[in-house]
Amino acid sequence: MGTAFIILLVFAFFILMSSFFTVKQQSSVVIERFGKFHSVRNSGLQLKIPIVDRVAGRVNLKIQQLDVIIETKTKDNVFIKMKVSVQFKVIQEKVYDAFYKLEYPHDQITAYVFDVVRAEVPKLKLDDVFERKDDIAIAVKRELNEAMTTYGYDIINTLVTDIDPDIQVKNAMNRINAADREKTAAEFEAESSRIRIVAKAKAEAESKRLQGQGIADQRREIARGLVESVEVLNNVGINSQEASALIVVTQHYDTLQAIGADANSNLILLPNSPQAGSDMLNNMVASFTASNQVGEMMKKNNKKIVKPKPIEPQSGYEDDIQPEVK
C-alpha cells in the first residue's frame, strides 16, 4: 500500500510538472487540443492541460534573412549571377497563418524572388543592372509583400548584394574601362603639353619684344648721347667733323679696351684704300688736337663761347678703317 502511494505521488508530480512550460522571448508556441488548434502562447510561463493539450510547434518572431542566388540573362545577352538578400519575420498577430498555411516559407520566398528577378533583369542591359539594382530590390520587395502577407510574413527589406557577370565579360569590361582611362589620361597630357608650348611661345614672344624694346632704347640713348656730345664740343669751338672724329677715336679706344680684356681676342684693321688709311690717321691726329683744345678752353671759364661754322667733311672720310673682331 505504501509503495503504490509513492508511485501515485510521483506520477502526479510529473503530470503537474508537464502542465507548465516556458516560451522564450521573440517566439510563440502553438497549442493543440486533441490534434486541433487551441491557442497561441507568447513569451513567459504558460500552463496547459496534461495529456489533453500538447505543444504543436514553436514560431520564431525574430527578423530572419534568406540569401537567394539567381542566374539570369540581361537584355544584351550577358549571363549574370545575382545575390538577393531577403529580410523577413513572422507577424505576431498572424502566427496561426504562418504555422498552418505555409509549410516551407524559405522555398516560397525563393520562388517569388526568382520570378521577379527573371522578369525584371532581362529588360535591362548589363550596365543598367548595376545602376538600377535598387529598383530591382524594390520590385522584389513589393511582389513578396503582396504574396507573403497572406501567409503571415512581413518582408522587412530586400537587398541586391552582389552582381557577378561571367569572367570573360568582367575582363572585357575592365579592358574597356582601362582603355577609357588611358584615353582620358592622353587627352590631359596633350592638353598639358599644349599649354606648356603656348606658355613658352608667349614667354619667348614677350622676351623678344622686351629685348627689341631694350635695344631700341639703347640705340635711342646712344644717339641722344652723341647729339649732346657734339653740341658740347661745338660750344667749345670744335666743329662737327672734328667732334665726330673725336667721338670715333673714343669709341675706337673703348673697343680696344674691351678686346684687351679677353686674352683670346684678335683685332684686324682692314683699310679700304691707302688714301683712306692716311685720311683716317690725319683725322685721329686732328681729334687729339681737338681734345687738347677742349681742355684749354674749359680752363677759361669766363671766356665767351662762340660757335664756329661747320667745316665740310674731308674726302675719303667715308672709307674709314673698320675694326673687325675675330
Side-chain angles (χ1 to χ4, degrees):
M1 185 68 180
T3 304
F5 178 77
I6 294 174
I7 294 174
L8 182 62
L9 187 62
V10 170
F11 179 74
F13 176 77
F14 279 106
I15 292 293
L16 180 64
M17 292 300 298
S18 63
S19 301
F20 296 94
F21 65 97
T22 58
V23 180
K24 294 182 178 179
Q25 186 69 29
Q26 290 296 313
S27 62
S28 295
V29 171
V30 177
I31 300 297
E32 293 180 351
R33 178 170 293 176
F34 297 115
K36 182 181 179 180
F37 172 76
H38 178 264
S39 63
V40 175
R41 307 293 177 86
N42 296 318
S43 59
L45 180 63
Q46 301 292 337
L47 178 65
K48 65 181 178 66
I49 300 175
I51 303 175
V52 176
D53 296 338
R54 74 178 187 89
V55 176
R58 297 177 181 269
V59 178
N60 187 4
L61 299 179
K62 296 179 182 179
I63 296 176
Q64 305 175 59
Q65 178 167 310
L66 175 64
D67 294 330
V68 182
I69 298 178
I70 312 156
E71 185 175 9
T72 183
K73 186 184 73 170
T74 62
K75 186 177 182 180
D76 47 355
N77 296 323
V78 177
F79 283 90
I80 61 174
K81 289 183 179 180
M82 297 183 62
K83 181 179 179 181
V84 180
S85 298
V86 181
Q87 298 172 349
F88 65 96
K89 72 173 183 177
V90 176
I91 303 174
Q92 188 169 2
E93 292 78 13
K94 295 184 177 182
V95 173
Y96 174 86
D97 296 333
F99 187 79
Y100 287 102
K101 288 185 177 182
L102 197 61
E103 186 173 3
Y104 302 107
H106 288 189
D107 294 342
Q108 188 79 6
I109 292 174
T110 300
Y112 277 107
V113 172
F114 267 81
D115 181 65
V116 175
V117 170
R118 287 183 172 174
E120 294 293 329
V121 173
K123 301 177 183 178
L124 306 173
K125 293 184 178 180
L126 180 60
D127 293 338
D128 296 335
V129 172
F130 284 93
E131 294 176 1
R132 300 180 58 182
K133 67 181 186 64
D134 291 339
D135 296 339
I136 298 173
I138 292 173
V140 172
K141 180 181 179 181
R142 182 174 59 249
E143 188 71 18
L144 283 175
N145 266 329
E146 292 177 359
M148 299 302 294
T149 302
T150 306
Y151 303 109
Y153 286 87
D154 182 24
I155 306 301
I156 305 299
N157 202 1
T158 57
L159 303 171
V160 178
T161 57
D162 189 20
I163 301 174
D164 187 19
D166 185 78
I167 184 64
Q168 295 181 356
V169 176
K170 288 196 289 186
N171 293 335
M173 293 176 65
N174 291 333
R175 288 196 301 269
I176 293 173
N177 189 22
D180 185 62
R181 291 182 181 274
E182 289 177 358
K183 177 183 176 182
T184 304
E187 291 176 353
F188 277 107
E189 289 177 358
E191 181 66 16
S192 177
S193 299
R194 186 189 68 82
I195 292 173
R196 286 197 297 267
I197 292 172
V198 171
K200 183 178 179 181
K202 289 182 178 179
E204 290 180 354
E206 182 68 14
S207 175
K208 296 294 184 183
R209 186 186 68 82
L210 295 176
Q211 184 179 2
Q213 183 178 353
I215 293 174
D217 293 340
Q218 180 184 12
R219 291 175 177 175
R220 190 181 301 110
E221 293 299 324
I222 291 174
R224 185 181 293 112
L226 292 175
V227 171
E228 293 177 355
S229 299
V230 172
E231 290 179 355
V232 171
L233 294 175
N234 288 338
N235 290 335
V236 297
I238 300 175
N239 59 35
S240 299
Q241 185 170 352
E242 292 174 345
S244 299
L246 179 60
I247 293 172
V248 169
V249 171
T250 304
Q251 292 179 345
H252 173 74
Y253 280 106
D254 289 342
T255 303
L256 292 177
Q257 183 179 2
I259 294 173
D262 191 352
N264 296 324
S265 297
N266 296 320
L267 176 64
I268 300 176
L269 300 178
L270 299 174
N272 294 332
S273 64
Q275 181 63 33
S278 177
D279 292 340
M280 183 61 187
L281 182 59
N282 293 332
N283 289 333
M284 291 177 66
V285 174
S287 298
F288 284 121
T289 305
S291 63
N292 291 332
Q293 291 178 4
V294 172
E296 292 296 333
M297 295 188 70
M298 290 181 66
K299 295 178 181 179
K300 302 175 182 180
N301 296 327
N302 297 327
K303 184 177 179 179
K304 182 177 181 182
I305 300 175
V306 180
K307 182 176 181 182
K309 295 181 179 180
I311 302 175
E312 296 296 330
Q314 299 177 6
S315 61
Y317 183 73
E318 297 83 354
D319 298 329
D320 292 342
I321 298 175
Q322 301 296 328
E324 178 178 352
V325 179
K326 183 178 180 182

